[in-house]
Amino acid sequence: MYKIKPFPFKKELDGISQKTNEIHHGRLYSGYVNKANEISDELVKLREEIIADDTPGGLPATKAGNPTYSKLRALKLGETFAVNGIYLHELFFDLLGGDGDYKKAPELSAAISKKWGSVENFIKYFSECAMAARGWAILAWDLHEKELKQYNGDTHDHAVWGCIPVLVCDVYEHAYFIDYGSDRKAYLAAFFRNLNWETAENIFKKVRAFSLS
Ligand SMILES: [Fe+2]
């Protein structure tokens, strides 16, 4: 079972209100955890029906695998959406509450600078990519390319398989509309002011050794 992690923000962040964080954690993130568990329970029941089905040859009598509409299809679509919603939000919350000082992430900063010229260049590029996203902007370690890559995801389940997120920014409107209305750029500046680079550095140091190539 997925578990709701405790609310992580003891005090208001610089430019991201406690109200935004409370709604984000208490309703949206918690909602993904609850739905992921509900989906998981339903999948267990359906899995048992499928395994128990002894229709000889052909499709099981449950017709569970219909790709136009079936309960199994709906649950499987919801499963990746909810579980990615959990993991992305947990990393996003972990990354907030810092002081925005990238010098606290020397190895990640060096890798970013090697690829994008400087951390300032990266922040500029990442922020513009975040303006172009409908859901998430992600800096990931790509296990295939064995390098840092910036990817966008319009929904939680738009993922590049074989990548591990290192730094993620939620750009769904619920992340900033209370504080900034439609001014997403101002929210992105606040995101980087509050970024805990040490958290990203720790993830980077763990994942960069892994390669699929
Ligand atoms: Fe969110």
Side-chain angles (χ1 to χ4, degrees), residues 24 28-29 32 89 92-93 136 156 170-172 174-175:
H24 209 164
L28 292 145
Y29 158 69
Y32 292 126
H89 279 98
F92 175 70
F93 294 143
W136 291 86
H156 301 146
D170 188 343
V171 294
Y172 278 108
H174 63 244

Side-chain angles (χ1 to χ4, degrees), residues 10-187:
K10 304 254 181 317
K11 59 183 172 66
E12 187 135 321
L13 302 177
D14 175 12
I16 302 175
S17 66
Q18 203 70 336
K19 184 176 180 185
T20 290
N21 285 329
E22 282 168 3
I23 293 171
H24 209 164
H25 181 279
R27 294 198 194 158
L28 292 145
Y29 158 69
S30 299
Y32 292 126
V33 175
N34 293 334
K35 277 293 169 191
N37 286 328
E38 189 182 325
I39 289 165
S40 179
D41 288 344
E42 290 298 315
L43 279 170
V44 167
K45 285 186 229 160
L46 201 48
R47 185 181 70 205
E48 284 168 3
E49 279 178 38
I50 292 164
I51 290 170
D53 191 299
D54 57 0
T55 308
L59 287 169
T62 57
K63 303 268 192 299
N66 188 288
T68 302
Y69 171 74
S70 59
K71 190 176 176 187
L72 179 60
R73 176 177 168 78
L75 288 166
K76 281 290 172 190
L77 284 173
E79 181 182 41
T80 48
F81 192 85
V83 175
N84 277 321
I86 296 170
Y87 294 158
L88 284 169
H89 279 98
E90 287 179 349
L91 177 54
F92 175 70
F93 294 143
D94 281 350
L95 286 163
L96 290 173
D99 60 7
D101 182 3
Y102 65 76
K103 292 184 185 66
K104 291 177 177 168
E107 295 184 36
L108 177 58
S109 295
I112 285 173
S113 296
K114 190 176 168 198
K115 174 147 186 169
W116 284 286
S118 67
V119 176
E120 287 81 4
N121 284 354
F122 162 73
I123 290 172
K124 196 172 172 186
Y125 177 61
F126 184 93
S127 297
E128 206 55 39
C129 292
M131 291 298 293
R134 295 175 187 166
W136 291 86
I138 294 163
L139 174 69
W141 180 250
D142 188 318
L143 298 171
H144 300 275
E145 297 292 318
K146 212 177 175 189
E147 65 171 308
L148 288 168
K149 303 279 278 189
Q150 195 289 330
Y151 290 119
N152 276 359
D154 278 355
T155 66
H156 301 146
D157 48 359
H158 281 187
V160 181
W161 301 109
C163 288
I164 301 176
V166 172
L167 193 165
V168 301
C169 183
D170 188 343
V171 294
Y172 278 108
E173 287 173 348
H174 63 244
Y176 61 88
F177 223 77
I178 288 173
D179 299 325
Y180 296 104
S182 61
D183 188 357
R184 189 189 292 182
K185 282 230 164 179
Y187 158 70

